[in-house]
Amino acid sequence: PFVRRGNTTEAAELARFALKLSTLRRYAAPGEAQKLEDMARQWQDTCQRFSETKNVVEVAIGAGVECLRRDLVHMITRQSSVTAQDLGPLLDSIGKEGLLQRLRCLRNVAEIAVIADRHRLCLDTLRRLVLQAMQYYQEPNASEGLDAPIFSAPLSRASCSRALDSFP
């Protein structure tokens, strides 16, 4: 299976380990028998650990959170006015509690991007709004993402008329 290089979830690590073990079983040199036995033993221990439901739930939640994070980043960056590097501070993970706070912030920024796109604002305006939101959510008192203030950006005449035409 293909696993993205930047994916550090436990499910991705399990897939990488299983692929490595499978490759070693097929193509191991005679001198790698001990390494193969050690990896097979480690795989059995891992399988035993996942026979308990609570361990499987943590892996599933981790994979789901990673998918949600990637989807939110895609929603923000799909218009190419903002890059993933612009979102840098919100993409760093700092434990489970910090991860949920950053997901909340990313969701708020994604909502701004989707609303701006839906109302056909120009890319410059979209970029300004997203960068304002990013700057706001990097502040310590707003980093939990519980509130969503109002952000503003100047509109050109073309953006104004397109935004007004987007309403029914």
Side-chain angles (χ1 to χ4, degrees):
F2 176 75
V3 180
R4 293 176 188 250
R5 186 172 297 185
N7 190 342
T8 59
T9 62
E10 193 170 359
E13 295 300 324
L14 285 170
R16 284 187 193 102
F17 186 80
L19 188 59
K20 192 175 185 180
L21 179 62
S22 174
T23 303
L24 191 60
R25 281 183 177 157
R26 277 193 194 129
Y27 305 112
E32 294 179 305
Q34 183 61 40
K35 182 178 179 181
L36 180 60
E37 287 178 22
D38 292 343
M39 286 183 73
R41 202 172 307 113
Q42 187 178 354
W43 181 253
Q44 290 300 322
D45 294 343
T46 301
C47 291
Q48 182 64 32
R49 193 176 96 214
F50 286 116
S51 65
E52 297 177 28
T53 306
K54 69 177 183 173
N55 295 328
V56 174
V57 170
E58 288 179 20
V59 171
I61 289 174
V65 165
E66 175 64 19
C67 288
L68 180 61
R69 186 189 67 78
R70 275 188 290 148
D71 287 347
L72 291 171
V73 168
H74 174 73
M75 290 169 70
I76 297 168
T77 60
R78 71 182 173 159
Q79 295 296 329
S80 301
S81 62
V82 179
T83 65
Q85 288 78 19
D86 294 328
L87 304 175
L90 289 184
L91 299 181
D92 299 335
S93 60
I94 52 169
K96 291 180 183 179
E97 185 64 30
L99 179 66
L100 292 177
Q101 291 173 350
R102 290 187 178 185
L103 277 176
R104 238 182 267 130
C105 294
L106 270 176
R107 185 209 55 208
N108 292 346
V109 174
E111 286 177 355
I112 291 169
V114 168
I115 289 170
D117 182 48
R118 187 169 292 148
H119 292 294
R120 300 184 305 199
L121 298 181
C122 68
L123 294 180
D124 184 55
T125 303
L126 172 65
R127 179 174 176 76
R128 287 181 187 196
L129 290 171
V130 168
L131 291 178
Q132 283 180 20
M134 289 298 304
Q135 184 176 8
Y136 175 78
Y137 288 118
Q138 288 177 27
E139 295 174 9
N141 58 346
S143 64
E144 290 185 9
L146 296 175
D147 55 340
I150 297 172
F151 300 105
S152 64
L155 296 175
S156 66
R157 285 183 183 222
S159 288
C160 282
S161 62
R162 283 198 316 246
L164 291 174
D165 288 344
S166 68
F167 289 102

